Amino acid sequence: MQFVAFDLESTDGCFSSGNICEFGYCVADENFNILDSKNILIRPIGKVNIAYYRVKLAYPLKVYYRSPSFVENYSKIGTILQNVGKMELSKRRYI
């Protein structure tokens, strides 16, 4: 069995109003040995005012704007989450 943990980052720290800009994931086996781990950058939709939201992004904003869009990354992300075989999904949520 494999386990997948993933985390989404947004341009304002709030998914109700922000744009997804990162999809990070880690795949581990039943002994929690890491099999794969990556951070997929996603181009935000529209203009982003990070100074207004006081968000510290991992990369300069221009790096995100040069990244593929969510639509362009969709099949890659779908493959990770729908991998063949039994998988457990886990998502950390902040309230």
Side-chain angles (χ1 to χ4, degrees):
M1 179 179 294
Q2 293 180 338
F3 299 92
V4 176
F6 66 95
D7 182 42
L8 300 173
E9 298 297 335
S10 73
T11 55
D12 70 352
C14 179
F15 292 108
S16 62
S17 60
N19 290 292
I20 295 173
C21 61
E22 294 182 41
F23 175 88
Y25 72 94
C26 180
V27 179
D29 65 16
E30 61 276 354
N31 295 316
F32 298 104
N33 296 306
I34 296 174
L35 305 174
D36 190 18
S37 176
K38 289 198 178 50
N39 191 24
I40 298 171
L41 301 183
I42 298 169
R43 182 175 61 242
I45 300 169
K47 233 176 180 181
V48 174
N49 184 354
I50 58 173
Y52 176 77
Y53 294 109
R54 297 183 183 155
V55 172
K56 183 165 173 84
L57 299 172
Y59 304 93
L61 197 53
K62 64 183 176 182
V63 173
Y64 293 99
Y65 278 115
R66 288 191 300 238
S67 301
S69 68
F70 181 80
V71 172
E72 293 167 314
N73 279 309
Y74 183 78
S75 63
K76 185 189 303 183
I77 293 169
T79 299
I80 294 161
L81 297 178
Q82 297 176 12
N83 203 349
V84 178
K86 295 181 181 178
M87 271 191 165
E88 301 261 338
L89 294 179
S90 135
K91 182 183 180 303
R92 183 177 58 187
R93 176 161 176 91
Y94 297 101
I95 298 175

